[in-house]
Amino acid sequence: MAANAQSSRPIIGLIGMGEMGKMYAEALSKAGGSTIHVCDLPSKYDQLVEYCKGKPGLVPMVDGHHVSRSSDFIVYSVEAEYLDAVVKQYGPSTKMGAIVAGQTSVKAPERAAFDKHLPSDVKIVSIHSLHGPTVSPEGQALIIIQHRASQAEVRIVEQILAPLKSRYVHLTYDEHDEVTANTQAVTHAAFLTMGTAWRCMQSFPWETGRYIGGIEVVKINIALRIYAAKWHVYAGLAILNPTAKKQIKQYAQSVSELFKLMIIGKEDELRERVFAARDYVFTRDADGNSPAPILLSDKALDKFEIGAPEASPAPRANSHLSLLAMVDCWHALKIRPFDHLAIGATPVFRFWIGVAEYLFRSEERLEHAIHSAVNDITHRSDDAEFLVAARGWSECVGYGNFEAYRLRFEETAKFFEPRFEESRKQNAAMFKFLAEEPVRAAQGKVEPSS
């Protein structure tokens, strides 16, 4: 591979300077010693020039042709929906012998685009940072995919990306899409559904006095975290990944079937189904032992609040339909989420498993949720809105409609926008705490249902 004569290091090229592109650019720039050619849409060139000022090593370029022909390691950080067109446009200009990567959340269309449009002498070692641009990459999972390259070329990529201080996880393209579907797609769908339901009720949940504390704090903060981000980050992962589509459909089905058991009063049948899901997801051997880790301590979830609840009676029990359906969905699809923690656990995924675990490992909390689901109608209208929202998101993803996805997302984001800054501070504290919260060994057994 040709190298920058001045620094004897490969010249890095970044095509696409959205939030993740900028995260990579800034991390590599701060490390020093590298020349980094960057481009965005040609219409944004003047803004890009301003952005690069004062950032060592960053060289703004007019378009992807200039980046491709001059760089040794090129990363496409482009929305998955448009990646094929962008690679078709700039791929033929790729420097002979260069290594190309894609920083997309769904890899099937990326692989097809690279195989179709990149010259045969170009190497392919793709990547994916399993976190958002506002999370420090240090210690987070960074997927590396050796597709059309030697082991030596993989090591070059690892050395280039070393300044991120991420944890490398080596997967194939197919393994990547399965893991991201299992850890992200349904998780995002659950939080998108919560947000849509709250918008349809036209109420900020933390102001009702019914949602404050514990599990609900995590739900609220992460839902707002997702809606404060870019819609296309989640749309591509859901719509372009066939495994994700299947899982999101099953999540909506689980919500629907559990809700029906609730409203017709079949408490025993609901309990049997919920316990079966619990036994599959959280019980790990024939003796009922559950060596899967404890992700959040009992006191952890009470450390955070958002807003101030109105003066009102203490909140009543909650059916936790979103969590019951999540574990039911994992059971129906035979997914063991703990198996993916070491491979590709995002901070959001760890929190989501953590609150599910918090509910399902406690016989008292789980029984309370089941009893409330059938006998306490306080949250019944909320659960009905959640069901409708879950179906809506599932159909939107199933139809593969990016525009409908954008409209649904942005409508809810607009509703929550006045709360984003407050939530952002809480999220920073939550994720800092998560990084420091020790993972504990499970004690005793999760009693299987009879």
Side-chain angles (χ1 to χ4, degrees), residues 74-326:
I74 302 156
V75 179
Y76 283 83
S77 190
V78 178
E79 295 175 33
E81 182 183 6
Y82 305 116
L83 182 67
D84 183 80
V86 174
V87 177
K88 180 180 180 180
Q89 182 177 7
Y90 299 133
S93 297
T94 306
K95 185 177 183 179
M96 183 179 294
I99 301 173
V100 173
Q103 166 55 8
T104 57
S105 58
V106 55
K107 294 300 185 183
E110 176 189 289
R111 172 171 54 182
F114 283 172
D115 285 344
K116 183 177 181 180
H117 301 304
L118 292 178
S120 59
D121 55 61
V122 170
K123 312 303 179 183
I124 301 172
V125 180
S126 203
I127 60 174
H128 182 202
S129 290
L130 295 185
H131 58 87
T134 61
V135 175
S136 169
E138 185 171 353
Q140 300 296 336
L142 171 55
I143 305 297
I144 295 182
I145 299 170
Q146 180 180 358
H147 179 57
R148 200 168 78 192
S150 67
Q151 191 59 40
E153 286 152 345
V154 172
R155 285 195 293 271
I156 290 172
V157 173
E158 292 176 341
Q159 291 165 3
I160 291 172
L161 299 179
L164 275 67
K165 300 180 181 179
S166 295
R167 173 173 55 87
Y168 297 142
V169 179
H170 294 270
L171 299 175
T172 66
Y173 268 127
D174 290 336
E175 289 169 343
H176 169 278
D177 281 358
E178 180 181 0
V179 168
T180 53
N182 290 350
T183 59
Q184 296 185 47
V186 183
T187 302
H188 296 158
F191 288 109
L192 290 170
T193 299
M194 291 176 210
T196 299
W198 290 327
R199 173 185 60 79
C200 290
M201 292 186 291
Q202 288 294 297
S203 66
F204 293 109
W206 51 91
E207 292 180 345
T208 66
R210 291 187 292 155
Y211 289 82
I212 298 298
I215 292 172
E216 302 306 331
V217 172
V218 173
K219 290 181 183 178
I220 293 165
N221 276 298
I222 295 182
L224 265 67
R225 179 187 183 88
I226 287 173
Y227 277 107
K230 302 293 186 182
W231 69 272
H232 64 78
V233 173
Y234 307 104
L237 190 153
I239 291 174
L240 297 176
N241 187 332
T243 302
K245 281 187 175 182
K246 176 183 176 182
Q247 293 181 8
I248 292 168
K249 181 178 181 180
Q250 177 58 52
Y251 182 67
Q253 188 67 21
S254 291
V255 172
S256 176
E257 292 173 0
L258 294 180
F259 184 74
K260 290 173 185 176
L261 293 176
M262 290 163 49
I263 62 175
I264 61 178
K266 292 195 173 183
E267 184 172 346
D268 290 341
E269 190 173 336
L270 176 64
R271 180 177 291 104
E272 181 180 356
R273 180 161 174 165
V274 168
F275 278 20
R278 179 200 66 177
D279 295 345
Y280 179 82
V281 172
F282 296 103
T283 303
R284 310 295 282 161
D285 61 34
D287 295 326
N289 292 311
S290 182
I294 301 293
L295 299 178
L296 297 173
S297 65
D298 284 355
K299 296 181 180 179
L301 297 178
D302 292 324
K303 290 181 177 291
F304 309 103
E305 291 184 355
I306 182 168
E310 297 173 349
S312 62
R316 292 191 179 187
N318 192 323
S319 67
H320 293 302
L321 178 58
S322 61
L323 285 169
L324 298 185
M326 187 77 266

Side-chain angles (χ1 to χ4, degrees), residues 40-91:
D40 208 337
L41 294 172
S43 61
K44 296 182 178 180
Y45 178 68
D46 290 340
Q47 296 98 302
L48 184 63
V49 170
E50 288 299 314
Y51 168 79
C52 291
K53 288 180 179 178
K55 296 180 176 66
L58 292 194
V59 181
M61 295 199 158
V62 174
D63 59 28
H65 290 300
H66 291 78
V67 172
S68 294
R69 66 190 296 270
S70 63
S71 304
D72 301 299
F73 174 60
I74 302 156
V75 179
Y76 283 83
S77 190
V78 178
E79 295 175 33
E81 182 183 6
Y82 305 116
L83 182 67
D84 183 80
V86 174
V87 177
K88 180 180 180 180
Q89 182 177 7
Y90 299 133

Side-chain angles (χ1 to χ4, degrees), residues 215 274-275 278 282 294 298 320 324 354-370 445-447:
I215 292 172
V274 168
F275 278 20
R278 179 200 66 177
F282 296 103
I294 301 293
D298 284 355
H320 293 302
L324 298 185
V355 293
E357 173 189 62
Y358 178 80
L359 174 64
F360 275 79
R361 283 194 192 278
S362 167
E363 190 85 20
E364 180 182 0
R365 281 191 287 266
L366 191 56
E367 279 287 357
H368 206 188
I370 293 169
K445 299 180 179 181
V446 174
E447 295 297 336

